[in-house]
PDB file of all heavy atoms in Angstrom:
ATOM      1  N   ALA A 159     112.099 105.934  95.747  1.00 97.00           N
ATOM      2  CA  ALA A 159     111.196 105.245  96.641  1.00 97.00           C
ATOM      3  C   ALA A 159     110.023 106.051  96.995  1.00 97.00           C
ATOM      4  O   ALA A 159     108.801 105.567  97.125  1.00 97.00           O
ATOM      5  CB  ALA A 159     111.949 104.741  97.914  1.00 97.00           C
ATOM      6  N   GLU A 160     110.142 107.375  97.174  1.00 96.00           N
ATOM      7  CA  GLU A 160     109.064 108.240  97.532  1.00 96.00           C
ATOM      8  C   GLU A 160     108.057 108.367  96.435  1.00 96.00           C
ATOM      9  O   GLU A 160     106.839 108.862  96.712  1.00 96.00           O
ATOM     10  CB  GLU A 160     109.626 109.672  97.989  1.00 96.00           C
ATOM     11  CG  GLU A 160     110.246 110.356  96.907  1.00 96.00           C
ATOM     12  CD  GLU A 160     111.679 110.220  96.861  1.00 96.00           C
ATOM     13  OE1 GLU A 160     112.185 109.143  97.428  1.00 96.00           O
ATOM     14  OE2 GLU A 160     112.462 111.023  96.292  1.00 96.00           O
ATOM     15  N   SER A 161     108.337 107.925  95.221  1.00 97.00           N
ATOM     16  CA  SER A 161     107.388 107.983  94.169  1.00 97.00           C
ATOM     17  C   SER A 161     106.498 106.800  93.957  1.00 97.00           C
ATOM     18  O   SER A 161     105.529 106.706  93.203  1.00 97.00           O
ATOM     19  CB  SER A 161     108.107 108.301  92.810  1.00 97.00           C
ATOM     20  OG  SER A 161     108.754 107.060  92.442  1.00 97.00           O
ATOM     21  N   VAL A 162     106.819 105.795  94.876  1.00 98.00           N
ATOM     22  CA  VAL A 162     106.151 104.420  94.748  1.00 98.00           C
ATOM     23  C   VAL A 162     105.027 104.309  95.850  1.00 98.00           C
ATOM     24  O   VAL A 162     105.297 104.565  96.956  1.00 98.00           O
ATOM     25  CB  VAL A 162     107.096 103.345  94.866  1.00 98.00           C
ATOM     26  CG1 VAL A 162     106.548 101.966  94.834  1.00 98.00           C
ATOM     27  CG2 VAL A 162     108.266 103.426  93.770  1.00 98.00           C
ATOM     28  N   THR A 163     103.905 103.846  95.310  1.00 97.00           N
ATOM     29  CA  THR A 163     102.834 103.385  96.245  1.00 97.00           C
ATOM     30  C   THR A 163     102.433 101.946  95.804  1.00 97.00           C
ATOM     31  O   THR A 163     102.133 101.691  94.706  1.00 97.00           O
ATOM     32  CB  THR A 163     101.633 104.255  96.170  1.00 97.00           C
ATOM     33  OG1 THR A 163     102.072 105.574  96.422  1.00 97.00           O
ATOM     34  CG2 THR A 163     100.527 103.861  97.152  1.00 97.00           C
ATOM     35  N   VAL A 164     102.405 101.068  96.807  1.00 98.00           N
ATOM     36  CA  VAL A 164     102.044  99.647  96.544  1.00 98.00           C
ATOM     37  C   VAL A 164     100.586  99.457  97.101  1.00 98.00           C
ATOM     38  O   VAL A 164     100.335  99.812  98.331  1.00 98.00           O
ATOM     39  CB  VAL A 164     103.033  98.662  97.213  1.00 98.00           C
ATOM     40  CG1 VAL A 164     102.503  97.240  97.023  1.00 98.00           C
ATOM     41  CG2 VAL A 164     104.408  98.858  96.676  1.00 98.00           C
ATOM     42  N   TRP A 165      99.757  98.843  96.321  1.00 98.00           N
ATOM     43  CA  TRP A 165      98.410  98.502  96.777  1.00 98.00           C
ATOM     44  C   TRP A 165      98.124  97.002  96.823  1.00 98.00           C
ATOM     45  O   TRP A 165      98.470  96.350  95.860  1.00 98.00           O
ATOM     46  CB  TRP A 165      97.366  99.115  95.684  1.00 98.00           C
ATOM     47  CG  TRP A 165      97.392 100.610  95.629  1.00 98.00           C
ATOM     48  CD1 TRP A 165      98.258 101.435  94.928  1.00 98.00           C
ATOM     49  CD2 TRP A 165      96.494 101.483  96.381  1.00 98.00           C
ATOM     50  NE1 TRP A 165      97.931 102.774  95.176  1.00 98.00           N
ATOM     51  CE2 TRP A 165      96.960 102.874  96.001  1.00 98.00           C
ATOM     52  CE3 TRP A 165      95.490 101.396  97.302  1.00 98.00           C
ATOM     53  CZ2 TRP A 165      96.326 104.055  96.585  1.00 98.00           C
ATOM     54  CZ3 TRP A 165      94.902 102.510  97.874  1.00 98.00           C
ATOM     55  CH2 TRP A 165      95.268 103.728  97.457  1.00 98.00           C
ATOM     56  N   ILE A 166      97.711  96.536  97.941  1.00 97.00           N
ATOM     57  CA  ILE A 166      97.562  95.122  98.256  1.00 97.00           C
ATOM     58  C   ILE A 166      96.092  94.819  98.311  1.00 97.00           C
ATOM     59  O   ILE A 166      95.398  95.431  99.121  1.00 97.00           O
ATOM     60  CB  ILE A 166      98.244  94.648  99.448  1.00 97.00           C
ATOM     61  CG1 ILE A 166      99.756  94.845  99.415  1.00 97.00           C
ATOM     62  CG2 ILE A 166      97.973  93.202  99.851  1.00 97.00           C
ATOM     63  CD1 ILE A 166     100.457  94.626 100.731  1.00 97.00           C
ATOM     64  N   ASP A 167      95.565  93.803  97.613  1.00 97.00           N
ATOM     65  CA  ASP A 167      94.280  93.238  97.925  1.00 97.00           C
ATOM     66  C   ASP A 167      94.566  91.797  98.364  1.00 97.00           C
ATOM     67  O   ASP A 167      94.731  90.896  97.467  1.00 97.00           O
ATOM     68  CB  ASP A 167      93.416  93.327  96.666  1.00 97.00           C
ATOM     69  CG  ASP A 167      91.918  92.993  97.053  1.00 97.00           C
ATOM     70  OD1 ASP A 167      91.756  92.275  98.071  1.00 97.00           O
ATOM     71  OD2 ASP A 167      91.040  93.344  96.343  1.00 97.00           O
ATOM     72  N   PRO A 168      94.550  91.451  99.626  1.00 97.00           N
ATOM     73  CA  PRO A 168      94.888  90.106 100.105  1.00 97.00           C
ATOM     74  C   PRO A 168      93.908  89.062  99.697  1.00 97.00           C
ATOM     75  O   PRO A 168      94.191  87.882  99.861  1.00 97.00           O
ATOM     76  CB  PRO A 168      95.116  90.304 101.577  1.00 97.00           C
ATOM     77  CG  PRO A 168      94.148  91.360 101.998  1.00 97.00           C
ATOM     78  CD  PRO A 168      94.277  92.362 100.717  1.00 97.00           C
ATOM     79  N   LEU A 169      92.623  89.419  99.423  1.00 97.00           N
ATOM     80  CA  LEU A 169      91.667  88.467  99.183  1.00 97.00           C
ATOM     81  C   LEU A 169      90.524  89.177  98.359  1.00 97.00           C
ATOM     82  O   LEU A 169      89.688  89.797  98.974  1.00 97.00           O
ATOM     83  CB  LEU A 169      91.083  87.682 100.319  1.00 97.00           C
ATOM     84  CG  LEU A 169      90.368  86.340 100.143  1.00 97.00           C
ATOM     85  CD1 LEU A 169      90.138  85.655 101.374  1.00 97.00           C
ATOM     86  CD2 LEU A 169      89.113  86.432  99.329  1.00 97.00           C
ATOM     87  N   ASP A 170      90.549  89.144  97.083  1.00 97.00           N
ATOM     88  CA  ASP A 170      89.524  89.755  96.263  1.00 97.00           C
ATOM     89  C   ASP A 170      88.356  88.730  96.060  1.00 97.00           C
ATOM     90  O   ASP A 170      88.584  87.595  95.867  1.00 97.00           O
ATOM     91  CB  ASP A 170      90.069  90.173  94.895  1.00 97.00           C
ATOM     92  CG  ASP A 170      89.121  91.020  94.150  1.00 97.00           C
ATOM     93  OD1 ASP A 170      88.493  91.938  94.730  1.00 97.00           O
ATOM     94  OD2 ASP A 170      89.046  90.890  92.873  1.00 97.00           O
ATOM     95  N   ALA A 171      87.154  89.280  96.149  1.00 95.00           N
ATOM     96  CA  ALA A 171      85.895  88.482  96.062  1.00 95.00           C
ATOM     97  C   ALA A 171      85.696  87.679  97.377  1.00 95.00           C
ATOM     98  O   ALA A 171      85.449  86.545  97.431  1.00 95.00           O
ATOM     99  CB  ALA A 171      85.905  87.532  94.933  1.00 95.00           C
ATOM    100  N   THR A 172      85.706  88.392  98.526  1.00 94.00           N
ATOM    101  CA  THR A 172      85.538  87.693  99.802  1.00 94.00           C
ATOM    102  C   THR A 172      84.190  87.182  99.913  1.00 94.00           C
ATOM    103  O   THR A 172      83.993  86.084 100.484  1.00 94.00           O
ATOM    104  CB  THR A 172      85.808  88.704 100.974  1.00 94.00           C
ATOM    105  OG1 THR A 172      87.136  89.174 100.917  1.00 94.00           O
ATOM    106  CG2 THR A 172      85.534  88.021 102.319  1.00 94.00           C
ATOM    107  N   GLN A 173      83.171  87.869  99.451  1.00 93.00           N
ATOM    108  CA  GLN A 173      81.779  87.284  99.535  1.00 93.00           C
ATOM    109  C   GLN A 173      81.664  85.930  98.753  1.00 93.00           C
ATOM    110  O   GLN A 173      81.191  84.976  99.271  1.00 93.00           O
ATOM    111  CB  GLN A 173      80.825  88.286  98.797  1.00 93.00           C
ATOM    112  CG  GLN A 173      79.352  87.832  98.859  1.00 93.00           C
ATOM    113  CD  GLN A 173      78.777  87.531 100.288  1.00 93.00           C
ATOM    114  OE1 GLN A 173      79.052  88.503 101.178  1.00 93.00           O
ATOM    115  NE2 GLN A 173      78.126  86.472 100.509  1.00 93.00           N
ATOM    116  N   GLU A 174      82.300  85.905  97.591  1.00 96.00           N
ATOM    117  CA  GLU A 174      82.199  84.635  96.817  1.00 96.00           C
ATOM    118  C   GLU A 174      83.158  83.564  97.585  1.00 96.00           C
ATOM    119  O   GLU A 174      82.887  82.352  97.481  1.00 96.00           O
ATOM    120  CB  GLU A 174      82.797  84.924  95.369  1.00 96.00           C
ATOM    121  CG  GLU A 174      81.865  85.593  94.523  1.00 96.00           C
ATOM    122  CD  GLU A 174      81.666  87.120  94.817  1.00 96.00           C
ATOM    123  OE1 GLU A 174      82.596  87.640  95.497  1.00 96.00           O
ATOM    124  OE2 GLU A 174      80.599  87.717  94.497  1.00 96.00           O
ATOM    125  N   TYR A 175      84.175  83.972  98.229  1.00 96.00           N
ATOM    126  CA  TYR A 175      85.017  83.007  99.002  1.00 96.00           C
ATOM    127  C   TYR A 175      84.158  82.469 100.096  1.00 96.00           C
ATOM    128  O   TYR A 175      84.273  81.160 100.319  1.00 96.00           O
ATOM    129  CB  TYR A 175      86.126  83.899  99.581  1.00 96.00           C
ATOM    130  CG  TYR A 175      87.262  83.206 100.381  1.00 96.00           C
ATOM    131  CD1 TYR A 175      88.047  82.245  99.870  1.00 96.00           C
ATOM    132  CD2 TYR A 175      87.310  83.526 101.815  1.00 96.00           C
ATOM    133  CE1 TYR A 175      88.974  81.622 100.573  1.00 96.00           C
ATOM    134  CE2 TYR A 175      88.286  82.895 102.542  1.00 96.00           C
ATOM    135  CZ  TYR A 175      89.115  81.943 101.981  1.00 96.00           C
ATOM    136  OH  TYR A 175      90.140  81.373 102.720  1.00 96.00           O
ATOM    137  N   THR A 176      83.367  83.118 100.773  1.00 95.00           N
ATOM    138  CA  THR A 176      82.504  82.607 101.865  1.00 95.00           C
ATOM    139  C   THR A 176      81.471  81.634 101.248  1.00 95.00           C
ATOM    140  O   THR A 176      80.984  80.767 101.910  1.00 95.00           O
ATOM    141  CB  THR A 176      81.783  83.673 102.635  1.00 95.00           C
ATOM    142  OG1 THR A 176      80.905  84.390 101.763  1.00 95.00           O
ATOM    143  CG2 THR A 176      82.850  84.609 103.260  1.00 95.00           C
ATOM    144  N   GLU A 177      81.083  81.841  99.966  1.00 96.00           N
ATOM    145  CA  GLU A 177      80.149  81.043  99.282  1.00 96.00           C
ATOM    146  C   GLU A 177      80.742  79.805  98.604  1.00 96.00           C
ATOM    147  O   GLU A 177      80.048  79.068  97.890  1.00 96.00           O
ATOM    148  CB  GLU A 177      79.353  81.885  98.290  1.00 96.00           C
ATOM    149  CG  GLU A 177      78.534  82.965  98.924  1.00 96.00           C
ATOM    150  CD  GLU A 177      77.835  83.907  97.904  1.00 96.00           C
ATOM    151  OE1 GLU A 177      77.719  83.424  96.726  1.00 96.00           O
ATOM    152  OE2 GLU A 177      77.441  84.991  98.272  1.00 96.00           O
ATOM    153  N   ASP A 178      82.095  79.740  98.762  1.00 97.00           N
ATOM    154  CA  ASP A 178      82.920  78.688  98.116  1.00 97.00           C
ATOM    155  C   ASP A 178      82.862  78.672  96.627  1.00 97.00           C
ATOM    156  O   ASP A 178      82.848  77.588  95.896  1.00 97.00           O
ATOM    157  CB  ASP A 178      82.449  77.325  98.596  1.00 97.00           C
ATOM    158  CG  ASP A 178      83.550  76.255  98.564  1.00 97.00           C
ATOM    159  OD1 ASP A 178      84.769  76.694  98.477  1.00 97.00           O
ATOM    160  OD2 ASP A 178      83.240  75.044  98.675  1.00 97.00           O
ATOM    161  N   LEU A 179      82.792  79.942  96.032  1.00 97.00           N
ATOM    162  CA  LEU A 179      82.794  80.144  94.513  1.00 97.00           C
ATOM    163  C   LEU A 179      84.218  80.583  94.309  1.00 97.00           C
ATOM    164  O   LEU A 179      84.627  81.579  94.110  1.00 97.00           O
ATOM    165  CB  LEU A 179      81.879  81.204  94.142  1.00 97.00           C
ATOM    166  CG  LEU A 179      80.384  80.982  94.457  1.00 97.00           C
ATOM    167  CD1 LEU A 179      79.557  82.213  94.115  1.00 97.00           C
ATOM    168  CD2 LEU A 179      79.823  79.742  93.613  1.00 97.00           C
ATOM    169  N   ARG A 180      85.144  79.528  94.338  1.00 97.00           N
ATOM    170  CA  ARG A 180      86.581  79.670  94.316  1.00 97.00           C
ATOM    171  C   ARG A 180      87.089  80.309  93.007  1.00 97.00           C
ATOM    172  O   ARG A 180      88.130  80.926  93.081  1.00 97.00           O
ATOM    173  CB  ARG A 180      87.241  78.334  94.599  1.00 97.00           C
ATOM    174  CG  ARG A 180      86.722  77.696  95.805  1.00 97.00           C
ATOM    175  CD  ARG A 180      87.473  76.369  96.158  1.00 97.00           C
ATOM    176  NE  ARG A 180      86.984  75.640  97.421  1.00 97.00           N
ATOM    177  CZ  ARG A 180      87.538  74.778  98.081  1.00 97.00           C
ATOM    178  NH1 ARG A 180      88.755  74.269  97.580  1.00 97.00           N
ATOM    179  NH2 ARG A 180      86.997  74.170  99.105  1.00 97.00           N
ATOM    180  N   GLN A 181      86.432  80.108  91.986  1.00 97.00           N
ATOM    181  CA  GLN A 181      87.000  80.591  90.641  1.00 97.00           C
ATOM    182  C   GLN A 181      87.149  82.118  90.621  1.00 97.00           C
ATOM    183  O   GLN A 181      87.883  82.699  89.827  1.00 97.00           O
ATOM    184  CB  GLN A 181      86.199  80.142  89.503  1.00 97.00           C
ATOM    185  CG  GLN A 181      84.751  80.724  89.283  1.00 97.00           C
ATOM    186  CD  GLN A 181      83.656  80.034  90.118  1.00 97.00           C
ATOM    187  OE1 GLN A 181      84.026  79.326  91.084  1.00 97.00           O
ATOM    188  NE2 GLN A 181      82.394  80.159  89.628  1.00 97.00           N
TER     189      GLN A 181
END
Side-chain angles (χ1 to χ4, degrees):
E160 62 268 21
S161 70
V162 176
T163 305
V164 177
W165 295 84
I166 299 174
D167 193 339
L169 201 170
D170 190 38
T172 299
Q173 180 61 46
E174 287 73 20
Y175 182 66
T176 64
E177 297 173 19
D178 210 15
L179 299 173
R180 304 183 183 196
Q181 70 272 25

